Amino acid sequence: MTATTDTTTTTGIPDLYPTRGAAEVLTPRQDPVVWGAPDAPGPIVPADLLSFERDGFLAIDQLITDDEVTVYRNELNRLVNDPDVRADERSIVEPKSKEIRSVFEVHRISEVFAKLVSDERVVGRARQILGSDVYVHQSRINVKPGFGASGFYWHSDFETWHAEDGLPRMRTASVSIALTENYDTNGGLMIMPGSHKTFLGCAGETPKDNYKKSLQMQDAGTPSDEALTRFATEHGIKLFTGKAGSATWFDCNCMHGSGDNITPFPRSNVFIVFNSVENTAVEPFAAPVRRPEFIGARDFTPVQ
């Protein structure tokens, strides 16, 4: 792995985070983690904003109530059991079981999840972290039933969103809201604390229509064993557990992943990605074509 400096794309926009080249490269983060003022009004207290700045994540024991969990879980079940939803390209199925793994753009196909996105407990935290109005770059529900649901290999979301969606800067934050209990055994989210301060540019070109494969199993944009060992040794690994209704906010450049779920206990969540309206997508930095809009939005209308 080598260090690198920024280059300029053919459109004249600086590429601060080169990736998908001949070799892996390390780039120190060029952007703030928390863009808003520490004392800006909102649901996150200043001490927690400092924690987010340091670690790259913030765990919340209860973001939504038990009654709300029931509402959202029922809506998730309705969507994954709807034949029309299953037939839609926004639904991604498990390679082996052929069961639905994820449904994208749920804030557009479900009024229930649209209301969750605009809930001040949710969007208010995104505005605090990103220091501006925000729009939804991506939303989805993830379904991880027991007995064999596959995990997501280690990766930085920003690496993909920069390379394939054209997000220029690290001004994007995600929230994963648990709709079932997260045990330490059923394939929970793992993050390397502090890894968000270094960008790992991955080796290898991006195949055309890479998303069709990567949403089932990551290939392009996957760090090497050497890089992951280095990151894990330096930063450690945090596994998130918690009851349904808990949530984890994390920075776009956190190195994270999850294991397979071989327990009987399902793990489902709703996942929302907020991007600053001052960081709207341009052309991909390291891919031949844009991904579809249901994966990487081109509607930059602020969430109200």
Side-chain angles (χ1 to χ4, degrees):
M1 292 182 292
T2 59
T4 188
T5 56
D6 68 276
T7 59
T8 301
T9 66
T10 55
T11 60
I13 299 172
D15 183 359
L16 300 180
Y17 301 104
T19 189
R20 311 280 174 102
E24 286 184 325
V25 291
L26 295 175
T27 303
R29 187 185 184 107
Q30 306 294 301
D31 295 306
V33 178
V34 175
W35 291 72
D39 57 351
I44 308 178
V45 299
D48 285 345
L49 279 176
L50 289 174
S51 175
F52 186 89
E53 161 76 31
R54 181 189 67 240
D55 297 329
F57 59 80
L58 178 64
I60 299 171
D61 290 338
Q62 185 176 49
L63 181 66
I64 58 176
T65 67
D66 292 344
D67 289 342
E68 290 172 315
V69 167
T70 300
V71 171
Y72 296 126
R73 193 158 55 206
N74 287 342
E75 180 69 354
L76 179 148
N77 290 333
R78 182 188 72 80
L79 290 171
V80 300
N81 289 296
D82 184 332
D84 291 336
V85 172
R86 182 182 179 86
D88 193 288
E89 65 174 346
R90 288 174 284 199
S91 293
I92 310 301
V93 300
E94 288 280 355
K96 293 182 180 179
S97 69
K98 303 304 179 184
E99 295 297 321
I100 286 182
R101 174 190 181 101
S102 302
V103 179
F104 282 79
E105 216 171 33
V106 289
H107 71 295
R108 293 196 178 279
I109 64 176
S110 165
E111 291 185 6
V112 173
F113 286 117
K115 290 178 180 177
L116 177 62
V117 164
S118 60
D119 190 306
E120 187 61 24
R121 292 169 296 177
V122 177
V123 70
R125 285 179 165 87
R127 293 191 190 107
Q128 275 186 279
I129 293 169
L130 303 178
S132 69
D133 281 334
V134 297
Y135 70 93
V136 176
H137 176 69
Q138 184 186 104
S139 72
R140 67 179 187 259
I141 48 174
N142 293 322
V143 184
K144 210 169 189 180
F147 299 119
S150 56
F152 291 87
Y153 197 67
W154 291 106
H155 64 286
S156 154
D157 285 332
F158 180 76
E159 193 280 335
T160 298
W161 299 337
H162 182 70
E164 301 186 38
D165 296 339
L167 294 191
R169 311 295 293 264
M170 293 182 183
R171 200 170 179 179
T172 314
S174 303
V175 61
S176 175
I177 305 172
L179 300 182
T180 54
E181 185 153 0
N182 288 294
Y183 301 101
D184 58 4
T185 53
N186 64 341
L189 173 68
M190 296 181 289
I191 292 179
M192 297 184 188
S195 60
H196 62 304
K197 298 292 184 71
T198 304
F199 177 73
L200 176 62
C202 296
E205 295 184 352
T206 309
K208 185 178 180 181
D209 292 337
N210 178 56
Y211 76 93
K212 293 181 179 178
K213 179 180 179 182
S214 67
L215 296 179
Q216 292 181 325
M217 184 173 294
Q218 187 84 359
D219 188 7
T222 301
S224 68
D225 291 352
E226 176 192 12
L228 290 172
T229 300
R230 176 175 174 173
F231 270 55
T233 301
E234 180 176 352
H235 301 293
I237 297 173
K238 164 73 174 177
L239 170 65
F240 292 88
T241 59
K243 295 186 178 298
S246 63
T248 305
W249 284 89
F250 58 101
D251 177 80
C252 59
N253 191 46
C254 284
M255 190 64 68
H256 67 288
S258 64
D260 296 349
N261 182 12
I262 61 172
T263 75
F265 310 115
R267 176 179 171 263
S268 299
N269 68 297
V270 54
F271 182 75
I272 308 163
V273 180
F274 292 100
N275 188 39
S276 169
V277 296
E278 299 173 10
N279 187 47
T280 54
V282 295
E283 291 305 311
F285 285 87
V289 295
R290 301 174 179 179
R291 297 196 298 176
E293 290 197 26
F294 70 84
I295 301 174
R298 295 278 164 170
D299 179 351
F300 309 133
T301 304
V303 177
Q304 300 297 332

